[in-house]
Amino acid sequence: MDLDAVRTFVAVAESGQFQAAADDLGITQQGASRRVATLERELGVQLFARTARGARLTVDGQALLPHARALLRAAERVTAAVTPGRRALRIDVVARRIAPSTVLYDFYRQHPGIELDVVTLDHADAASALAEIGAGTLDATFRSLRGLDLPNELRSSRVIDDRHELLVGPRHPLANAETVTMAELTDHRIWMPGMTDPEPIGYYNDLATAFGLTIDTIGPSFGAEALLAEIADSDQLATFVGEGSRYLWPESYDLRRIPVVDPTPVYPLSVIWRADNPHPVLANLLAYLRTRYQATSTDDVWTPDRVR
């Protein structure tokens, strides 16, 4: 089986877009389509249903996805076994628009000569990501570690407190506020659909309980673009975004990012790595993350009691 075709299939499945997958892989959209079409012919099934919004996995595609990921992990282990210490530093940033990706990009700009492989395990839970670290296929990941015990061979350090901002459209009652307090949010529904990972679900449940908020995580996610469009058009919907997140939307949306204060809830993230990992760039990254955290962390924040 062609590993490039399998890798392209996984990239399209994770992004939901052939163009986004092609950009990540450094190929053309036509090239990505040809690879997937070749895989479909080889397997004799249709893996994606093309829609106006992109590409949606078919039932056969959903069945193939975990096995495709396992195949790629096995291939990575084979390569690592014969080229120890030679591959790029591989970091999971979970998703490319959130704080870990932003922080890692800042590190790279200060060290432009390093070899860095940025991956996203946005559909994998924390336990799966930790397994990748333990197996050596990843060098580090960013997770909250809520309710998880680290295996003995892994280490963690809290390095990001991602401050919450309220994202609303121009007709929302809070649209013109410079800041918004937690008490002011009790009368407004916070909409965060499509969550499946127990880590963020647990965090937002704790946040809602602590401050009496209504945080709605029910319903499917149709992607960031659909979410932003609905918020822009609504006089009631609002969502939380992290201060370190980077989203783009048309100027006509006129969306507002409003800092949340008194206190400021933060999504706490730790970097996790294997204690015996000898990669020469890893120590520099860990030192950078710790120094940055010491310079930016403050006491006026809220985190759940269950945070490591």
Side-chain angles (χ1 to χ4, degrees):
M1 187 173 291
D2 184 351
L3 285 179
D4 285 337
V6 174
R7 189 171 291 107
T8 304
F9 161 72
V10 172
V12 176
E14 291 179 346
S15 67
Q17 299 279 342
F18 274 85
Q19 184 62 65
D23 291 343
D24 286 344
L25 296 171
I27 61 177
T28 64
Q29 181 177 347
Q30 291 79 8
S33 296
R34 281 196 298 271
R35 288 182 180 181
V36 171
T38 299
L39 186 61
E40 289 178 324
R41 285 195 300 272
E42 182 177 352
L43 296 174
V45 297
Q46 183 178 353
L47 299 174
F48 294 102
R50 276 64 168 179
T51 70
R53 295 183 180 276
R56 175 176 53 82
L57 283 169
T58 63
V59 172
D60 287 321
Q62 294 174 37
L64 176 64
L65 184 57
H67 301 290
R69 285 177 172 149
L71 181 60
L72 293 179
R73 287 195 295 269
E76 293 288 356
R77 286 193 291 271
V78 169
T79 302
V82 297
T83 56
R86 292 180 55 187
R87 65 166 173 78
L89 184 70
R90 182 171 299 131
I91 309 295
D92 165 39
V93 295
V94 185
R96 296 189 185 277
R97 291 175 175 172
I98 63 175
S101 181
T102 303
V103 171
L104 191 60
Y105 178 58
D106 290 340
F107 170 73
Y108 179 76
R109 288 195 300 175
Q110 295 185 26
H111 304 81
I114 66 171
E115 293 187 15
L116 189 63
D117 185 6
V118 183
V119 301
T120 58
L121 300 184
D122 52 345
H123 294 286
D125 60 20
S128 299
L130 298 189
E132 299 285 357
I133 301 293
T137 53
L138 277 179
D139 294 303
T141 187
F142 295 87
R143 303 284 166 162
S144 76
L145 296 180
R146 182 184 187 277
L148 288 176
D149 293 323
L150 283 181
N152 291 334
E153 69 272 17
L154 302 189
R155 299 292 182 269
S156 70
S157 179
R158 184 164 154 185
V159 292
I160 297 176
D161 281 351
D162 198 19
R163 292 170 169 261
H164 282 27
E165 295 177 335
L166 189 72
L167 184 67
V168 298
R171 296 189 294 119
H172 192 278
L174 298 173
N176 295 318
E178 293 186 5
T179 60
V180 60
T181 67
M182 295 300 292
E184 290 174 314
L185 290 179
T186 58
D187 295 329
H188 300 277
R189 172 185 169 221
I190 310 299
W191 188 44
M192 306 191 72
M195 286 191 193
T196 57
D197 190 329
E199 273 195 321
I201 290 175
Y203 168 84
Y204 284 108
N205 285 341
D206 289 344
L207 180 63
T209 299
F211 295 99
L213 304 183
T214 300
I215 301 180
D216 183 359
T217 62
I218 304 300
S221 170
F222 293 96
E225 289 77 11
L227 177 68
L228 297 174
E230 291 210 41
I231 290 175
D233 194 44
S234 173
D235 61 359
Q236 296 295 323
L237 293 179
T239 194
F240 282 135
V241 294
E243 182 183 42
S245 299
R246 296 293 177 263
Y247 294 98
L248 299 176
W249 55 77
E251 185 176 355
S252 61
Y253 283 10
D254 194 21
L255 294 176
R256 321 288 174 86
R257 296 179 66 143
I258 307 169
V260 181
V261 298
D262 194 26
T264 297
V266 298
Y267 196 94
L269 289 164
S270 295
V271 61
I272 302 99
W273 72 98
R274 190 177 172 107
D276 60 356
N277 188 328
H279 199 291
V281 181
L282 180 60
N284 290 338
L285 173 62
L286 296 175
Y288 169 82
L289 292 172
R290 289 167 176 149
T291 300
R292 178 188 175 279
Y293 184 67
Q294 291 170 0
T296 58
S297 62
T298 61
D299 295 329
D300 59 337
V301 300
W302 175 89
T303 56
D305 294 336
R306 283 176 261 198
V307 171
R308 288 178 67 89

